[in-house]
């Protein structure tokens, strides 16, 4: 794998047409016969730096520039599925480099394999509840031993531990909740309807 960087002398758009900042990161990968893994990447934010909301077409192009294959985005909240022969940490770093080049600042990314997303869907402890009232909070790093550790503002919400995620059931919806979960600082949440669609999409490219 070769990593190339070009530095522009101004803030003009690059020849790629998508990077408003000056540092352009291009990853060139010789895949050969390596086994490809299906991944989903979840952005912690789509409003990045002073660039406004990140277009999903731009996110898809970043993934292709990073060397990922069969790239597809889902809705405008920062969800993208693809294939790569690299391990999770390298996939995350490659995409974070592209996002940093675009935004001029760090943008957090959560990466899971196709099987991990499918397993999270299968482990949903609130499977009988409406999918839009159950959130999976995907986290980088270790989960707390007690899912309520440090939690504030809880009313009738229910929090359960997963493997690399927390599941949260909002019986009254999220509009007026005051629930704050410390792990949210290191993760990003998707409702189970979105998780189900991402599991379907990653399964198709795995």
């Amino acid at each position: 794998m070769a990593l190339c960087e070009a530095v522009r002398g101004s803030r003009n758009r690059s020849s790629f047409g998508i990077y408003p900042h000056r540092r352009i990161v291009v990853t060139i990968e010789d895949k050969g016969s390596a086994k490809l893994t299906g991944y989903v990447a979840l952005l912690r934010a789509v409003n990045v730096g002073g660039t406004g909301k990140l277009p999903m077409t731009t996110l898809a192009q970043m993934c292709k520039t990073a060397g990922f294959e069969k790239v597809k985005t889902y809705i405008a909240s920062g969800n993208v599925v693809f294939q790569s022969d690299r391990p999770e940490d390298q996939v995350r770093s490659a995409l974070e480099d592209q996002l940093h080049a675009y935004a001029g600042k760090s943008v957090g990314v959560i990466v899971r394999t196709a099987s991990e997303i499918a397993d999270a869907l299968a482990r949903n402890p609130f499977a009988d509840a409406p999918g839009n009232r159950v959130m999976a909070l995907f986290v980088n790093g270790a989960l707390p031993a007690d899912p309520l550790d440090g939690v504030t503002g809880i009313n009738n919400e229910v929090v359960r531990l997963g493997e690399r995620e927390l599941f949260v059931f909002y019986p009254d919806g999220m509009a007026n909740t005051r629930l704050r979960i410390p792990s949210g600082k290191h993760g990003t949440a998707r409702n189970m309807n979105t998780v189900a669609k991402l599991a379907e999409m990653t399964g198709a490219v795995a």
Side-chain angles (χ1 to χ4, degrees):
M1 179 179 67
L3 182 65
C4 306
E5 291 189 2
V7 179
R8 298 283 178 180
S10 70
R11 291 171 62 88
N12 292 340
R13 291 165 67 89
S14 76
S15 59
F16 291 94
I18 60 173
Y19 297 110
H21 287 260
R22 289 182 288 178
R23 180 172 175 268
I24 302 166
V25 181
V26 180
T27 305
I28 302 170
E29 183 83 14
D30 181 10
K31 292 182 170 50
S33 58
K35 182 180 183 298
L36 297 174
T37 299
Y39 285 103
V40 56
L42 310 171
L43 272 60
R44 295 195 62 231
V46 291
N47 290 311
V48 289
T51 64
K53 193 169 185 179
L54 175 67
M56 293 300 97
T57 53
T58 301
L59 176 59
Q61 184 59 54
M62 289 178 184
C63 290
K64 293 174 184 177
T65 302
F68 306 154
E69 299 186 10
K70 295 186 178 180
V71 178
K72 294 182 179 180
T73 61
Y74 177 63
I75 60 179
S77 57
N79 312 297
V80 57
V81 304
F82 50 84
Q83 286 184 334
S84 176
D85 64 348
R86 284 177 272 178
E88 177 187 317
D89 58 339
Q90 292 182 20
V91 167
R92 183 173 58 252
S93 294
L95 183 51
E96 286 178 343
D97 284 347
Q98 295 292 324
L99 288 161
H100 192 282
Y102 175 88
K105 61 178 288 186
S106 296
V107 178
V109 178
I110 306 293
V111 174
R112 295 291 186 268
T113 64
S115 60
E116 286 177 317
I117 287 292
D119 288 347
L121 178 64
R123 286 194 305 270
N124 175 15
F126 309 109
D128 293 334
N132 63 346
R133 295 200 174 189
V134 180
M135 303 292 287
L137 175 58
F138 297 97
V139 176
N140 278 334
L143 294 173
D146 181 351
L148 297 181
D149 187 22
V151 170
T152 62
I154 193 165
N155 184 16
N156 60 351
E157 300 89 353
V158 186
V159 185
R160 293 285 185 269
L161 279 174
E163 293 292 325
R164 301 182 68 192
E165 65 283 321
L166 292 171
F167 294 97
V168 188
F169 174 39
Y170 297 85
D172 299 327
M174 296 183 63
N176 298 312
T177 186
R178 296 187 177 184
L179 182 67
R180 297 293 180 268
I181 301 174
S183 295
K185 296 178 181 179
H186 310 288
T188 188
R190 299 294 187 271
N191 72 40
M192 295 311 296
N193 291 339
T194 296
V195 173
K197 182 61 178 180
L198 292 173
E200 176 186 334
M201 292 174 67
T202 53
V205 303

